[in-house]
Amino acid sequence: MSGADWLERWRQGRIGFHLQAPHPALEGFWGRLELRAGAKVLVPLCGKSQDMRWLVERGNPVLGIELSPLAIEQFVAEEPCSAGKRRTALRYRQSGFECTRLGRIELWCGDFFHFQVEQAAELAGFYDRAALIALPPATRQRYAHHLAQLLLPGTRGLLITLTHDDPCRGPPFSVTHAEVEALMAPNFELVLCDVATAADGLVESVWQLTRRGPVRQAHSNRSRDEHP
Ligand SMILES: C[S@@+](CC[C@H](N)C(=O)[O-])C[C@H]1O[C@@H](n2cnc3c(N)ncnc32)[C@H](O)[C@@H]1O
């Protein structure tokens, strides 16, 4: 599925992946990461996920990256009112991305693979729900590598994957535990936190990942220079 296909899906409103409430695994397992308050979280391929609002309410600012401008517009339009008022979104352009800031949520509109390590300096956590599994097999290797090179050693995150009985069908693509390990283990320590069967027969797995490598002056530009 190409970027153009995703844009078309958003245009047609074919967004069955979107959840109206925060993902239960986020609520259940995020605390295990023990991220410091204020640690900024990267949400690749973020759609208009409610999980981003949940993360901010938990004290973690968010940087979401999403290809579709429509997804971002909808996220802004669906911002809940507080005391009868809606916050105003700030718009700006940075490093080739059209950016929207809504409180402590920054949404960068563009291709995740164009997001560069220099722009990722402040990231201290990440959250992938339906990002890896949205990508076809050949792109998943590229995604795993790109994600790893954006993150400093010691950075922790959650990854939620799915398996189903047809390896050719997707998205969502079935990504087996063996594939998750093959893709991620070279750069991340992995802990499988949970495996649960959803109502539609899909099996969802929740992983805790920690970026491997020597943690030296973590989250400073200097340590990024030493990043493997
Ligand atoms: C399955 S959806 C998941 C969205 C979100 N994570 C959620 O849980 O609702 C995948 C999203 O990735 C976006 N996307 C696909 N390829 C992308 C890319 N290369 N860069 C940024 N976003 C991309 C799509 O537009 C879509 O919104």
Side-chain angles (χ1 to χ4, degrees):
M1 188 156 169
S2 69
D5 294 329
W6 281 109
L7 296 178
E8 184 59 14
R9 268 182 95 138
W10 276 99
R11 209 184 56 74
Q12 295 178 352
R14 289 169 47 231
I15 55 165
F17 53 81
H18 178 69
L19 302 177
Q20 299 299 334
H23 196 288
L26 177 64
E27 296 177 315
F29 295 102
W30 188 252
R32 286 197 188 189
L33 303 182
E34 297 183 340
L35 292 192
R36 63 181 164 78
K40 192 186 272 191
V41 175
L42 174 68
V43 183
L45 285 65
C46 62
K48 57 169 182 170
S49 170
Q50 294 301 313
D51 296 341
M52 296 190 281
R53 292 196 167 97
W54 187 91
L55 285 164
V56 161
E57 280 162 20
R58 273 291 298 252
N60 293 122
V62 164
L63 195 164
I65 302 181
E66 168 56 48
L67 202 54
S68 165
L70 265 182
I72 293 173
E73 287 318 310
Q74 290 178 17
F75 185 85
V76 171
E78 291 165 12
E79 165 81 353
C81 290
S82 168
K85 286 190 180 166
R86 265 212 183 92
R87 278 185 301 197
T88 310
L90 299 176
R91 317 279 182 173
Y92 54 98
R93 200 173 160 78
Q94 193 162 325
S95 311
F97 287 79
E98 297 294 335
C99 304
T100 302
R101 175 185 278 278
L102 198 58
R104 286 178 299 153
I105 301 178
E106 285 169 63
L107 299 172
W108 288 36
C109 188
D111 187 339
F112 174 63
F113 297 104
H114 295 167
F115 184 72
Q116 295 304 323
V117 68
E118 303 77 45
Q119 297 145 5
E122 297 166 53
L123 298 172
F126 64 96
Y127 175 64
D128 170 334
R129 182 260 164 182
L132 179 70
I133 61 162
L135 300 170
T139 316
R140 294 201 283 268
Q141 176 74 59
R142 188 177 171 213
Y143 172 86
H145 182 263
H146 190 64
L147 179 67
Q149 63 90 31
L150 292 173
L151 303 171
L152 289 169
T155 305
R156 294 185 291 276
L158 278 189
L159 165 66
I160 303 176
T161 57
L162 276 180
T163 50
H164 54 67
D165 54 10
D166 183 353
C168 300
R169 176 164 59 88
F173 291 97
S174 183
V175 182
T176 63
H177 287 189
E179 183 178 345
V180 172
E181 282 165 11
L183 289 173
M184 297 298 181
N187 290 308
F188 295 92
E189 288 164 22
L190 286 121
V191 177
L192 180 59
C193 303
D194 195 33
V195 180
T197 305
D200 45 14
L202 301 174
V203 177
E204 201 164 61
S205 301
V206 184
W207 305 80
Q208 179 179 332
L209 271 61
T210 306
R211 179 70 168 97
R212 290 186 195 278
V215 181
R216 270 186 261 159
Q217 297 220 343
H219 310 130
S220 75
N221 288 334
R222 208 162 73 99
S223 61
R224 189 170 291 294
D225 294 338
E226 297 157 357
H227 198 22

